[in-house]
Amino acid sequence: EYLQKVLVKAIMALPETHFLLCMYQIPEKYHKHEDIAPICDLAQLLEFAKFRQFWADYKANKHAYSLNIVVGFVREVRRFILSVVTITYNCINKSDLAELVDMEVDSAELAAVIKDHGWSEDGPRVVLRRLADNEVAPTESRTQKTLTLDQLTKALGVTESVQGYAYCR
């Protein structure tokens, strides 16, 4: 039971690597133990951003009681998912957001999340705040737009020698 609590707390700290560090401390032969394997599977789904599958497995998991032994598990998982959404999207359908965080589309809870994050609703979409992490930065071209006479001469000289070589064969 203590090991389960530690692993659940480590999941709650995502995106930190606490869960991975904890798993390194547990001998591999115990990773498939019936009390640990479901927690590992759920952690992997979160790390791979398979949030819909996470909620389905979480609800269907017969070991769900071990996940609720630490107060605030669902809240912290939602915090992690929302951080990923914030980094990934500029705008998202409200129904998709609700599904990712396992809330009802028209719930006061989802409305509070949108408000707390400073997001706005635009019809069926939620417009997220722009951050340095989720905004496309303009790129500068690294190619030179003009050639100098020396560069052109060298390029033509190489071309002539390559063409001459081809004719000699």
Side-chain angles (χ1 to χ4, degrees), residues 4 6-9 22 39 43-44 53 58 63 73-74 76 81 88 92 110 115-116 129 131 147 150 156-158 167:
Q4 291 172 326
V6 168
L7 292 175
V8 170
K9 287 291 281 183
C22 289
I39 297 172
Q44 186 175 33
Q53 185 64 45
Y58 172 75
H63 299 283
F73 177 74
V74 171
E76 290 303 312
I81 292 171
T88 307
I92 185 171
L110 184 60
K115 182 181 177 188
D116 292 346
R129 290 184 323 212
L131 304 172
L147 292 175
D150 288 338
L156 292 175
V158 169
Y167 289 121

Side-chain angles (χ1 to χ4, degrees), residues 91-95 105-106 114 120-127:
C91 129
I92 185 171
N93 285 331
K94 189 174 180 181
S95 60
V105 175
D106 296 324
I114 292 169
S120 61
E121 292 185 52
D122 182 20
R125 301 180 315 158
V126 176
V127 179

Side-chain angles (χ1 to χ4, degrees), residues 53-159:
Q53 185 64 45
F54 167 83
W55 291 114
D57 288 5
Y58 172 75
K59 290 175 183 176
N61 189 349
K62 61 184 173 191
H63 299 283
Y65 69 90
S66 66
L67 298 172
N68 293 319
I69 56 178
V70 178
V71 176
F73 177 74
V74 171
R75 181 187 68 242
E76 290 303 312
V77 166
R78 285 180 175 152
R79 178 201 48 80
F80 169 67
I81 292 171
L82 289 167
S83 71
V84 173
V85 168
T86 301
I87 293 169
T88 307
Y89 295 97
N90 285 325
C91 129
I92 185 171
N93 285 331
K94 189 174 180 181
S95 60
D96 291 336
L97 177 63
E99 191 176 353
L100 291 175
V101 293
D102 191 43
M103 294 180 182
E104 295 296 323
V105 175
D106 296 324
S107 69
E109 193 176 18
L110 184 60
V113 166
I114 292 169
K115 182 181 177 188
D116 292 346
H117 282 82
W119 301 340
S120 61
E121 292 185 52
D122 182 20
R125 301 180 315 158
V126 176
V127 179
L128 286 63
R129 290 184 323 212
R130 293 191 181 248
L131 304 172
D133 292 336
N134 69 356
E135 187 153 337
V136 178
T139 57
E140 291 184 25
S141 174
R142 292 186 180 179
T143 59
Q144 193 173 350
K145 295 192 189 296
T146 58
L147 292 175
T148 63
L149 185 58
D150 288 338
Q151 292 171 327
L152 184 60
T153 305
K154 287 179 185 176
L156 292 175
V158 169
T159 304

Side-chain angles (χ1 to χ4, degrees), residues 43-54 80 84 100:
Q44 186 175 33
L45 290 172
L46 286 173
E47 289 176 351
F48 290 162
K50 295 182 177 184
F51 304 132
R52 290 176 177 97
Q53 185 64 45
F54 167 83
F80 169 67
V84 173
L100 291 175

